[in-house]
C-alpha cells in the first residue's frame, strides 16, 4: 500500500516543481532584456543622429573642396586650417574663454549661495537673475549694441564719472571681452538653477556645524559648500564651456559679425563663414572636428582638475 502511494505522489510532486521553474526562467530572461529594450530607442537616436554624423563629418574633412570635391586630400584641410590667421585668432579666443571660465562659473555659484542662505529679497532676485536666460541671443545682442555704442548710455555714464569713452565693439582689444561679458550675463541664469538644485541635496547640518564653529563665509564656501557640490560644479564647468564654444553665434553675428579685424572670431563662427559664405564644406568639417576635439580635451581636463582640487577620485 505504501509503495503505490509513494510512486503516485512522486509525479504529482515533480509536476508542480517543473511548472514553477519555467516562469522563473522566463521572468529572469525578461528582466535581463527589459533594460536593453528601454535603452534601445535612446541608443538608436544617439548613434543615428550623433555618432554617425560625427563619423561622416570627420571622414568628410579629409576630402577636398572646389575642383577637388569628393577626392581624398589627406590632412590638407587641417594644414590650411591652422595656417589661417582667422582660425588662429579663434583658437586664441578659445584660450581666453578657458581663462575666464572660472569667473563665468563663480558668478552664478556665489549668487546661488546667497539665494540658498535666503538673503533679504531672495525670491525677487531669483526671478530677476533667471530672466535673461529666456531672452533670444538676437534680442540680447541688439539691446547691448545700443548700450555699448560709442555714443551710447554706458559711455555717457563713464563720461559723467570723468572716464573717457570706450569703443566697446570697435576696439579689437576690447570687443571680445564685451561679447563674452554679454554672453555670461545672458546665460548664467541656467547655471544658477543648476546650482540651486545642487544646494537642495546639501546637508544643512554641515552648514550648522560650520556656523557653530565660527567659520567665516569664505571658509564655509571652501570647506563645506565646494566639497559637497563637486558633481554640480563639474557639470556647470563643462556645460558652461560647451555653451561658450557652441552658443555664442547669435551674439557674435548681431554684435560684431566677427569683427573688428576678425578679433571676435570663435571656431563656431569660423565654421559658419566657411560653410555658408566661402562654400568650403570640407574645410568647415575640419574646423568642426577641431572644435569637437577642443571641447573634449577641455572638458576632460576640467573634470580631472576639479577632482584633484576636491580630493575625489570617483
Amino acid at each position: 500500500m505504501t509503495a503505490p502511494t509513494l510512486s503516485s505522489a512522486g509525479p504529482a510532486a515533480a509536476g508542480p516543481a517543473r511548472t514553477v521553474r519555467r516562469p522563473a526562467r522566463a521572468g529572469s530572461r525578461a528582466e535581463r532584456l527589459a533594460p536593453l529594450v528601454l535603452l534601445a530607442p535612446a541608443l538608436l537616436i544617439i548613434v543615428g543622429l550623433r555618432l554617425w554624423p560625427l563619423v561622416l563629418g570627420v571622414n568628410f574633412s579629409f576630402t577636398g573642396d572646389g575642383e577637388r570635391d569628393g577626392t581624398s586630400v589627406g590632412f590638407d584641410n587641417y594644414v590650411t586650417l591652422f595656417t589661417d590667421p582667422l582660425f588662429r585668432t579663434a583658437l586664441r579666443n578659445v584660450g581666453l574663454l578657458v581663462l575666464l571660465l572660472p569667473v563665468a562659473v563663480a558668478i552664478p555659484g556665489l549668487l546661488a549661495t546667497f539665494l540658498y542662505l535666503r538673503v533679504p529679497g531672495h525670491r525677487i532676485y531669483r526671478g530677476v537673475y533667471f530672466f535673461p536666460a529666456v531672452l533670444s541671443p538676437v534680442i540680447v545682442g541688439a539691446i547691448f549694441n545700443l548700450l555699448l555704442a560709442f555714443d551710447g548710455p554706458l559711455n555717457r555714464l563713464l563720461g559723467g564719472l570723468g572716464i573717457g569713452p570706450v569703443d566697446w565693439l570697435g576696439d579689437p582689444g576690447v570687443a571680445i571681452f564685451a561679447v563674452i561679458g554679454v554672453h555670461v550675463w545672458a546665460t548664467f541664469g541656467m547655471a544658477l538653477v543648476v546650482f540651486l538644485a545642487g544646494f537642495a541635496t546639501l546637508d544643512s547640518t554641515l552648514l550648522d556645524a560650520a556656523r557653530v564653529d565660527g567659520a567665516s563665509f569664505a571658509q564655509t564656501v571652501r570647506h563645506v559648500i565646494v566639497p559637497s557640490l563637486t558633481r554640480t560644479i563639474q557639470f556647470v564647468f563643462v556645460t558652461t564651456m560647451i555653451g561658450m564654444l557652441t552658443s555664442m553665434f547669435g551674439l557674435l553675428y548681431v554684435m560684431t559679425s566677427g569683427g573688428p579685424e576678425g578679433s571676435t572670431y570663435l571656431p563656431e563662427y569660423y565654421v559658419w563663414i566657411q560653410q555658408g559664405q566661402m562654400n568650403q564644406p570640407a574645410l568647415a568639417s575640419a574646423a568642426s572636428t577641431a572644435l569637437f576635439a577642443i571641447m573634449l580635451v577641455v572638458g576632460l581636463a576640467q573634470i580631472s582638475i576639479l577632482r584633484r582640487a576636491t580630493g575625489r577620485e570617483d
Side-chain angles (χ1 to χ4, degrees), residues 81-93:
L81 197 65
F82 288 99
T83 55
D84 188 344
L86 287 177
F87 190 75
R88 291 204 299 268
T89 299
L91 292 182
R92 285 197 298 269
N93 288 337

Side-chain angles (χ1 to χ4, degrees), residues 25-290:
R25 283 196 294 268
S28 61
R29 189 180 301 112
E31 290 175 357
R32 289 194 299 269
L33 292 177
L36 299 178
V37 172
L38 295 174
L39 289 174
L43 291 176
L44 290 175
I45 291 174
I46 293 174
V47 172
L49 299 181
R50 295 287 185 177
L51 297 181
W52 182 241
L54 176 63
V55 173
L56 292 178
V58 173
N59 180 69
F60 189 61
S61 70
F62 293 101
T63 62
D65 289 314
E67 296 179 353
R68 298 192 298 173
D69 185 19
T71 61
S72 177
V73 297
F75 290 92
D76 287 359
N77 286 327
Y78 292 93
V79 173
T80 302
L81 197 65
F82 288 99
T83 55
D84 188 344
L86 287 177
F87 190 75
R88 291 204 299 268
T89 299
L91 292 182
R92 285 197 298 269
N93 288 337
V94 168
L96 180 61
L97 291 178
V98 173
L99 293 177
L100 295 177
L101 183 61
V103 178
V105 174
I107 291 174
L110 289 175
L111 292 176
T113 303
F114 293 141
L115 293 177
Y116 177 76
L117 298 177
R118 299 183 181 277
V119 298
H122 67 278
R123 296 184 184 276
I124 299 176
Y125 295 149
R126 182 176 303 185
V128 171
Y129 291 149
F130 186 72
F131 176 73
V134 303
L135 295 177
S136 166
V138 175
I139 296 176
V140 173
I143 291 173
F144 276 91
N145 272 351
L146 298 175
L147 294 176
L148 300 177
F150 191 77
D151 58 349
L154 182 56
N155 275 337
R156 286 200 296 270
L157 177 62
L158 293 177
L161 298 175
I163 303 175
V166 179
D167 195 358
W168 297 101
L169 302 178
D171 186 341
V174 177
I176 185 63
F177 292 97
V179 174
I180 293 174
V182 173
H183 175 78
V184 172
W185 176 86
T187 59
F188 79 87
M190 296 302 300
L192 178 67
V193 172
V194 175
F195 272 117
L196 290 176
F199 273 111
T201 65
L202 183 63
D203 188 357
S204 59
T205 59
L206 296 177
L207 295 177
D208 295 336
R211 197 174 294 115
V212 170
D213 290 341
S216 64
F217 176 77
Q219 291 172 330
T220 301
V221 170
R222 179 181 177 183
H223 297 291
V224 178
I225 294 179
V226 171
S228 300
L229 299 183
T230 301
R231 295 295 187 186
T232 302
I233 295 173
Q234 289 177 359
F235 179 80
V236 173
F237 258 92
V238 173
T239 54
T240 301
M241 189 64 210
I242 293 174
M244 284 183 166
L245 290 176
T246 62
S247 301
M248 290 182 64
F249 176 83
L251 284 179
L252 286 175
Y253 185 81
V254 174
M255 295 183 68
T256 65
S257 296
E261 302 175 9
S263 61
T264 57
Y265 262 69
L266 286 172
E268 180 188 21
Y269 192 82
Y270 182 89
V271 169
W272 179 79
I273 290 293
Q274 298 302 324
Q275 174 72 43
Q277 294 190 1
M278 306 301 293
N279 194 27
Q280 299 188 92
L283 185 61
S285 295
S288 298
T289 303

